[in-house]
Amino acid sequence: MTIAPRAPRKLSMKDRYSALTRDLDWTPSYVTEDELYPYTKFEGITIHDWSKWEDPFRLTVDAYTKYQAEKDKRLYAVLDGFAQSQGHLSLTDASYLNAMKLFIQGVSPLEYQAHRHFAYLGRHLNGPGPRFASLCQSLDEIRHIQTEVHTLSNYNKYYDGFHSFPHMHDRVWYLSVPKSFFDDAVSSGPFEFLIAIGFSFEYLLTNLLFVPFMSGASFNGDLPTMTFGFSAQSDESRHMTLGLEAIKFLLEQDEKNVPIVQHWIDKWFWRGYRVTALIAQMLDYMLPRKVMSWKEAFNLYFEQQMLGGLFVDLAYYGITPPKFVEQAAEEKEILSHQVYWTLYQFSHAAAFSTSIPTDEHMEWLSANYAKFDELYRPLWEKEKRNVAAGGRHFARGLPELCTVCQIPMLFTEPGDPTTLCQRWSTFEDEHFNFCSDGCKNIFDHEPEKYVQAWLPVHQIFQGNCGGATIPDVLAWYKMTPNDGGEYLGSRDNKNWLAWHDMAEKTGGN
Ligand code: FE
Ligand code: ZN
């Protein structure tokens, strides 16, 4: 056996990094560059010099794996301790877990999709710098879904709604919102994907997506999810930097790239923003102990940090803030209420449960939202009377869906929160509906893509979802009646009360 000579010790960090990454790259001699990298031209993006891509993180594979292993060790120690000490009993309430059910069903499968597509970019981008950054992100993303599954699997032993999440992700009506978002991204070209996921998702919107879930966990006694969040956060800063590097690189390479990138920013801001509708209702309605309101979160993480910071810098390249961003800003007053009111009525067909906000909760809502008492409190007061009379309301029909974001048409006209917003386009003599100007704009730009949308309600009506009745469709979703519906009196609620009674008597929690 021969031992390879060691690299001389005197190499600087930067040289060592080059030797281990870029210097492993070579110029093809018996195929052309276009044959080797066939996917980086059709989107119309012009790249003159791939070596201008700077990696802000000079990470090598050995340093990367050592660092990640350390973090895993810490996380799995917390998971063990929490499981052994019945830590789930110290959550604020079992209803908190509705937020985590939504997370594992809706968000974790996106991590896996991100893993797959960054692996693809790790093969197909021409430059060794972006290829290596993509490879690292691909590894991060598979670690994220694995650690999320391990973190939340402990709850699956005691609570409903956690089983079958990958199956549900591909079939269930409200999960088609995040799924179609990511399907749209992975079926676009490599540069659009970088702007869609690397920039819009990881940079523009990540604080609106992950901070609410992770702070929600820490405020509600969910130590494992909080620890997972910390473990993912250091990866997140690398991902955000990759997104920012990607957009600056594209804008600096050629002026012709600017309008293409601008449309992607407009499109992916709106696409991502619509997915955050699920987060808005989670913050304002699902968390028993509140972190901050959606209105505050949107103002802080988007209006102040992005519009007031990042887009000021991007103006230098001729980039303007995303189209329809003023509608999103206005909507922050009403979004969560409209979304939760809809989920409340359809939770008999969901793998999470809902309930009327308590009086204390409604006080919080009215203290945070000027229009709550006028527009939304009356709905809940009426529903309280329904429940008192034994008629908890579940919608029996199926809602109309937006062809682009796939959310039921529940949003209202800009400036008029009492009129439903409806937009439409005709393509090849067919009529398509949209929830907003933002979604219509996306469709009109690429109708050929969106006419293929797999809209859950249409699929149910066409008989592709297990049958014509609610029990048929729920069986096809692998949902049981215990997974959703009303929280009060649910199996999770009853168990929680019984376990707490027991825990108090035995001197535990
Ligand atoms: Fe991730
Ligand atoms: Zn829409």
Side-chain angles (χ1 to χ4, degrees):
M1 180 177 134
T2 53
I3 294 167
R6 268 171 164 261
R9 287 228 168 246
K10 54 183 178 287
L11 280 183
S12 73
M13 273 296 283
K14 194 176 175 198
D15 292 340
R16 188 176 146 76
Y17 174 72
S18 274
L20 286 165
T21 55
R22 291 191 178 193
D23 290 0
L24 294 176
D25 195 41
W26 66 91
T27 310
S29 54
Y30 56 89
V31 290
T32 63
E33 188 171 333
D34 283 352
E35 284 174 300
L36 190 55
Y37 304 113
Y39 303 120
T40 43
K41 289 208 170 138
F42 75 88
E43 295 172 276
I45 289 288
T46 307
I47 304 294
H48 298 286
D49 184 1
W50 279 95
S51 75
K52 288 283 187 316
W53 182 291
E54 274 300 322
D55 322 327
F57 291 92
R58 302 218 159 84
L59 202 58
T60 56
V61 170
D62 60 342
Y64 173 84
T65 47
K66 244 178 250 162
Y67 187 61
Q68 300 297 51
E70 265 320 301
K71 291 197 296 183
D72 268 16
K73 239 184 263 168
R74 246 172 290 149
L75 172 64
Y76 285 92
V78 169
L79 298 189
D80 278 349
F82 194 81
Q84 281 166 22
S85 65
Q86 297 289 320
H88 69 99
L89 294 175
S90 54
L91 296 172
T92 45
D93 186 56
S95 66
Y96 154 77
L97 290 171
N98 284 315
M100 291 303 121
K101 293 171 192 179
L102 203 55
F103 188 85
I104 193 136
Q105 298 159 13
V107 180
S108 298
L110 305 187
E111 307 268 23
Y112 185 68
Q113 291 231 56
H115 153 69
R116 291 186 60 176
H117 207 77
F118 276 105
Y120 164 86
L121 295 187
R123 161 64 183 84
H124 286 293
L125 292 175
N126 302 48
R131 277 208 307 277
F132 189 70
S134 299
L135 173 70
C136 284
Q137 182 154 355
S138 172
L139 294 173
D140 291 338
E141 302 297 5
I142 193 138
R143 201 180 73 88
H144 291 175
I145 179 155
Q146 287 169 342
T147 47
E148 284 160 19
V149 170
H150 288 149
T151 298
L152 295 172
S153 68
N154 180 50
Y155 297 127
N156 184 39
K157 293 182 199 159
Y158 306 102
Y159 301 92
D160 290 306
F162 285 97
H163 63 89
S164 314
F165 70 90
H167 178 91
M168 290 180 189
H169 186 74
D170 286 342
R171 299 184 174 204
V172 174
W173 59 278
Y174 60 94
L175 299 174
S176 80
V177 174
K179 178 185 161 65
S180 70
F181 164 83
F182 228 93
D183 283 351
D184 193 348
V186 301
S187 57
S188 61
F191 293 118
E192 184 176 347
F193 181 86
L194 276 175
I195 298 302
I197 303 305
F199 178 71
S200 290
F201 192 73
E202 298 279 5
Y203 198 94
L204 281 187
L205 298 167
T206 194
N207 282 335
L208 279 174
L209 271 151
F210 286 93
V211 175
F213 273 116
M214 299 312 149
S215 313
S218 94
F219 272 56
N220 287 279
D222 185 357
L223 188 65
T225 301
M226 199 183 95
T227 311
F228 154 74
F230 280 128
S231 159
Q233 205 163 36
S234 54
D235 301 338
E236 224 44 59
S237 58
R238 250 185 304 111
H239 301 174
M240 289 174 82
T241 313
L242 172 62
L244 199 59
E245 183 57 33
I247 191 165
K248 290 200 165 151
F249 178 70
L250 295 188
L251 295 173
E252 278 168 9
Q253 281 292 308
D254 201 296
E255 245 173 75
K256 291 197 291 290
N257 295 341
V258 175
I260 303 175
V261 170
Q262 179 72 56
H263 175 71
W264 289 340
I265 292 174
D266 295 346
K267 170 181 172 181
W268 288 98
F269 161 72
W270 193 262
R271 213 68 180 84
Y273 167 67
R274 273 293 181 246
V275 175
T276 64
L278 290 170
I279 319 285
Q281 65 80 33
M282 185 212 65
L283 267 178
D284 288 346
Y285 284 87
M286 278 185 169
L287 296 179
R289 191 177 292 147
K290 305 283 179 272
V291 178
M292 58 163 63
S293 67
W294 169 256
K295 183 178 156 184
E296 280 175 275
F298 190 84
N299 179 265
L300 174 65
Y301 296 125
F302 194 80
E303 290 175 282
Q304 291 182 33
Q305 292 183 1
M306 297 303 152
L307 294 182
L310 173 73
F311 279 97
V312 176
D313 296 343
L314 290 176
Y316 167 80
Y317 299 101
I319 291 290
T320 57
K323 252 188 190 168
F324 308 117
V325 71
E326 59 301 326
Q327 291 186 14
E330 188 190 304
E331 221 173 46
K332 68 182 182 290
E333 293 281 351
I334 51 176
L335 180 66
S336 63
H337 317 295
Q338 297 181 337
V339 175
Y340 190 74
W341 176 245
T342 304
L343 293 181
Y344 176 86
Q345 297 171 65
F346 285 95
S347 62
H348 58 306
F352 58 79
S353 58
T354 54
S355 207
I356 299 177
T358 61
D359 291 344
E360 196 193 348
H361 185 169
M362 283 206 252
E363 281 314 305
W364 182 87
L365 289 166
S366 84
N368 280 278
Y369 291 97
K371 288 179 180 158
F372 179 77
D373 286 341
E374 180 201 335
L375 294 170
Y376 306 107
R377 187 188 284 271
L379 297 173
W380 294 116
E381 295 300 344
K382 183 180 174 200
E383 177 59 4
K384 266 192 200 169
R385 294 192 295 274
N386 289 340
V387 172
R392 204 277 193 203
H393 179 60
F394 288 117
R396 288 291 140 185
L398 296 179
E400 181 185 358
L401 303 179
C402 170
T403 307
V404 172
C405 69
Q406 308 204 2
I407 298 177
M409 306 280 274
L410 59 92
F411 303 102
T412 48
E413 279 292 342
D416 177 8
T418 59
T419 305
L420 282 180
C421 180
Q422 183 132 11
R423 299 287 180 271
W424 57 86
S425 293
T426 305
F427 181 72
E428 291 178 349
D429 298 328
E430 251 194 277
H431 178 94
F432 296 90
N433 295 307
F434 316 106
C435 71
S436 55
D437 297 316
C439 283
K440 176 178 159 59
N441 177 53
I442 293 168
F443 179 92
D444 288 344
H445 207 263
E446 283 169 287
E448 307 80 0
K449 185 169 197 180
Y450 297 98
V451 296
Q452 303 171 59
W454 192 93
L455 295 174
V457 169
H458 293 198
Q459 296 298 322
I460 291 171
F461 281 135
Q462 287 171 36
N464 297 329
C465 302
T469 67
I470 291 178
D472 290 339
V473 175
L474 295 190
W476 187 75
Y477 286 173
K478 287 199 186 170
M479 275 180 199
T480 73
N482 286 322
D483 289 325
E486 167 61 41
Y487 173 68
L488 295 176
S490 67
R491 188 158 72 177
D492 278 2
N493 180 223
K494 282 188 197 148
N495 281 340
W496 177 260
L497 295 174
W499 292 334
H500 274 264
D501 197 21
M502 214 154 63
E504 269 149 36
K505 277 182 198 142
T506 57
N509 289 297

